[in-house]
Amino acid sequence: MPDIRDKDLDILRAEIAACRICRDTPARGEAYRLPHEPRPVAVISSKARILIAGQAPGLRVHESGLPFNDASGDRLRNWLSVDRDQFYNRDLFTIVPMGFCFPGYDAKGSDLPPRKECAPFWRQRVMDAMPQIELVLAIGGYAQAWHMGKTRSGNVTETVRDWRTTFFRNEGIRMLPMPHPSWRNTAWIRKNPWFEEDLLPVLRQSVEMLIK
């Protein structure tokens, strides 16, 4: 017999898939309507103990419907030391970006920030539906702002550098702030060798323990 909680999550998944807030009732008015058909992308789980909290889908993810289905995902899987089958197993990982839909591009061709409508409407409800989460990987400034709030140390670099403060605290869900795995951040990683030397071993050990 299906678990009652799984049925509730199926309902939540269906509601998210049908969401059209950013197209039909944009927070900042008609001029800021999402310019394309929404395709919410989120992996919600009743069993996974690790939440990957990213930013928003890029165009390739929008087209495939598969989160981190791009070069950024390849790098992230390397950071986690998992393969694609493990990464996309929703019993092991839940993947919920701050904005569920591809937000489009700015005038310079870069991805726009996550839509302002998404997190206020959905985020707390999604988190409440997954009380089993033990570790949040807060990727980038938007995820860190929501999940860490005043415990952030400043910008992304300062917050990630101070990862021990939030990771080793003795209350609440364990948080591990991370930079975005975009290849645009390659220079950042080279400039901050402590990320691969100090943080990644702890990340990989934690992931290994939580997906057993």
Side-chain angles (χ1 to χ4, degrees), residues 11 16 29 33 44 63 87 99 105 146 149 153 192 198-199 208:
I11 293 171
I16 290 172
R33 181 189 298 272
I44 299 172
E63 292 173 343
F87 186 79
Y105 295 122
W146 197 93
S153 300
N192 297 280
D198 300 333
L199 190 152
E208 183 180 9

Side-chain angles (χ1 to χ4, degrees), residues 5 23 30 43 73 85 120-121 148 150 153 158 168 170:
R5 186 156 156 252
R23 186 194 65 182
E30 292 298 313
V43 177
D85 288 341
F121 190 87
M148 299 174 66
K150 294 181 180 179
S153 300
E158 293 166 340
F168 290 113
N170 295 317

Side-chain angles (χ1 to χ4, degrees), residues 33-114:
R33 181 189 298 272
L34 189 73
H36 52 264
E37 178 66 15
R39 187 179 190 180
V41 176
V43 177
I44 299 172
S45 171
S46 63
K47 296 180 180 179
R49 294 188 285 170
I50 301 173
L51 166 62
I52 299 173
Q55 188 160 277
L59 179 59
R60 184 171 176 180
V61 172
H62 171 76
E63 292 173 343
S64 69
L66 197 62
F68 287 104
N69 185 33
D70 50 21
S72 295
D74 292 338
R75 172 174 269 174
L76 178 57
R77 285 182 281 276
N78 176 264
W79 286 353
L80 301 174
S81 194
V82 298
D83 59 29
R84 285 179 66 90
D85 288 341
Q86 291 172 306
F87 186 79
Y88 290 116
N89 182 344
R90 73 181 186 191
D91 287 347
L92 303 182
F93 294 97
T94 176
I95 307 171
V96 186
M98 296 308 299
F100 295 156
C101 292
F102 170 53
Y105 295 122
D106 63 20
K108 296 181 179 179
S110 298
D111 288 2
L112 288 166

Side-chain angles (χ1 to χ4, degrees), residues 183-203:
W183 291 97
R184 295 180 180 180
N185 277 340
T186 297
W188 185 96
I189 294 170
R190 290 173 179 167
K191 186 178 179 180
N192 297 280
W194 50 265
F195 172 72
E196 293 187 325
E197 294 168 0
D198 300 333
L199 190 152
L200 284 192
V202 173
L203 169 65

Side-chain angles (χ1 to χ4, degrees), residues 6 8-18 44-46 90:
D6 284 331
D8 291 339
L9 287 183
D10 284 340
I11 293 171
L12 179 58
R13 292 184 189 106
E15 290 180 4
I16 290 172
I44 299 172
S45 171
S46 63
R90 73 181 186 191

